[in-house]
Amino acid sequence: MRSPVIDNLQYVNWSEIAFRQLRQGGVDAIHVTIAYHESFRGAVLNVSQWNRWFEQYPDLIMRGVSGDCVRKAIETNRTAVFFGFQNPSPIEDDIGLIEVWHQLGVRFMQLTYNNQSLLATGCYEDDDTGLTRFGRQAVDEMNRVGMVVDMSHSGDRSTLEAIEHSSRPIAITHANPKWWHSALRNKSDEVLCALTDAGGMLGFSMYPHHLKDGSDCTLDSFCDMIAEAASRYGADNLGIGSDLCQDQPDSVVTWMRNGRWSKQMDYGEGSAAQAGFPTQPDWFTDNRDMPNIGTGLLKAGFSQPEVDGIMGGNWLRFYDSSFGGET
Amino acid sequence: MRSPVIDNLQYVNWSEIAFRQLRQGGVDAIHVTIAYHESFRGAVLNVSQWNRWFEQYPDLIMRGVSGDCVRKAIETNRTAVFFGFQNPSPIEDDIGLIEVWHQLGVRFMQLTYNNQSLLATGCYEDDDTGLTRFGRQAVDEMNRVGMVVDMSHSGDRSTLEAIEHSSRPIAITHANPKWWHSALRNKSDEVLCALTDAGGMLGFSMYPHHLKDGSDCTLDSFCDMIAEAASRYGADNLGIGSDLCQDQPDSVVTWMRNGRWSKQMDYGEGSAAQAGFPTQPDWFTDNRDMPNIGTGLLKAGFSQPEVDGIMGGNWLRFYDSSFGGET
C-alpha cells in the first residue's frame, strides 16, 4: 500500500464538487467537524446528513471509523471521512453520550471551543481552571471507548492537565506553534513539548489567522516552520490539520464564534474590519492543492519517509492505536 | 458449533440475577425491547443503560448486531443482546433516524404499538388504513439499512401491506395464531400464511394473555399449537419470542399501555380486575425454564433438527440475512 494522505481537520461546505476535489488532490482520509455548538439532537442531524452523502456518493467517500477504513479507502480510490466535534456540546451533561457518539462514528472531541465548557477552559477565557470534575470523568470515558481528546481551542492549563490526565495520547488537531506566529489559538512550546512527549499529535493549520503573514504566508515559510517543529518535537508526531473552511458563507463563521451564547458580535480571531472567513493562501485553496504541501516539505529538507509520515502516515499510526477500546 | 438458543422478544427488568438466569437457561441470544413510547432522546438513554451493562457484565452479555455475534456468544459462553423498538416513536418524524438507530444497534422496529402511528395502524384501532406515506418510505429505508419490520402489535391490513411492500422478509416477533387463542393481539391464518410465504418469521409468545387458558396454559397445549403451526406454515419460519416481562413492577405495564397518550386508564389485554402483569405459566417463569420448551417440542413430535430450528436456528438464519445492508 502507498503511504496515506490524511488531513485531520476540515470544515468544508460539502458538495459533490468538494468530494471530487478530495479525490483530485489524492486525499485518502479527512477528519471533518460535525458540530460547533450543536446539542445532541442537532449533531445527530449532521450525522444524518453525512449518512445521506455516504449513500449518494459511494464512489467518492466512505464512513471512517478505524485505521483500516483508510486502507480500504486507498484500495477503492475513495476518501474515508472521520467525524469530530469542536465542542463537547453534543454530549450535553450526559457521560453516557460519549459511548453513544463513538457508536455513531465520532472519533475526536474538543473539550472546549474557545469558551469555558462543562469539561475544561477555552483559550479565550481570562482564567483557565483546568479540567473540571465532569472533564476528568469524560477524559476517562473517552480513553475507554477510543475517542481522541482534542485540545485545539483550549487554554494552556487545561491542555496540560488533559495531557497528564489522559491515559492515551491526545491531539491538537489544528494549530501552529506560537514561536512561529503568536496567535491566541497557536500553542506554546511548553504545550507542544508535553503533547508530543506523551505521544500526542499536532496537526498544522492552514487557516490564515494561524499563519505567519496570514493569507500572504508563503509555502516556504509554512514548511520551514514544520522543519523547525520536527527538530524540536520529532517528525513522528506531526501531521496536517488544515482547518480548511471552503465555500462556507460568512454566516457560518459567525455561528462558529457566537453560537447561541452571545448577544454581542464576537469576532474571534477576526475583527470588525475583517469579520468574514479570511482568504486562503494561494498554495492551499482547496483539496486539489494538497500535493503542494508534500512538495514544500521535500524542499524544506525532509526525507521522503518523513514527508510520508507528516502527510498522513503519522495520523494513520495514531488512528490505529486510538480508535479502538482500551485494552 | 451447537445449535443456538434464541428468544426473539424479552422485556425483563434486567439485573445481574436476570443475566445469570440467561446463562443458566442456555440462552445464546435475545432481542430486547428498548423503547415502548420513548422519544429519540429517551430511547438513547436506554442504549446508554445497556452500554453500562455491557461494561459491567462482560462475562455474561455482549452487544449483538449480526448473526456472527450469536456465534461469538456461543463460543464465549455469553448471551448476545439485540435491540428493538415496539413502537416507531424513537424515529419521531425523521427518516434519517432509522440509519442512526441501526448504527446504535437497533435491529427490529414495530411500525405500530396498538395505536395508529405515523407509519401504520395498530391492532386496537377501529379502522386500519394500512401503511402511511411515511410508513412506505420508512419500510424502504429499513430494508436498505437492515432493520427488520416487526408487525406484532399492528392491524391485519397494515401487516399485509408491510409484507407486500417490504423487499425483505419481515417478522411478527411475539404473537400466537388466532385459531388457537382468539386474542386481539394474536394473528389470523391469512396474516400468518402471507408472512411465512414471504420468508418472514413468527415468534411464539408465552405472555399469558396470548395463551389458550392464560396463566393455566399447559406446555403440551403450547407445543401442540406449534406443531399445528408447523403443519400449516412449515417449521422453518417459526421461533420463540416469549414476551417475557419478568420482575417488572405493574407501573411498567401501565406505561406500555398508556404511554403519554391517554388520560384514561387503558387496560390493554388486561382488565380493571386484572390490571397488572399476569402470572407466567409455571413451565416458563424465567430464562432458566428455556430448556422446557425444547423438551415439549420433542414430545409434540418434532424431530431434533426441527426443534433446533424453532429454538434458535431459524432466528439465526433470519439474522444472517436481515441485519446487513441491502445487497
Side-chain angles (χ1 to χ4, degrees), chain A residues 79-112:
Chain A
T79 302
V81 180
F82 294 80
F83 296 157
F85 298 145
Q86 298 234 7
N87 190 324
S89 58
I91 70 165
E92 300 178 349
D93 61 354
D94 184 350
I95 197 166
L97 291 182
I98 291 172
E99 185 167 8
V100 166
W101 278 118
H102 191 269
Q103 292 178 266
L104 292 174
V106 172
R107 292 295 178 268
F108 291 89
M109 182 171 79
Q110 291 194 173
L111 300 193
T112 63

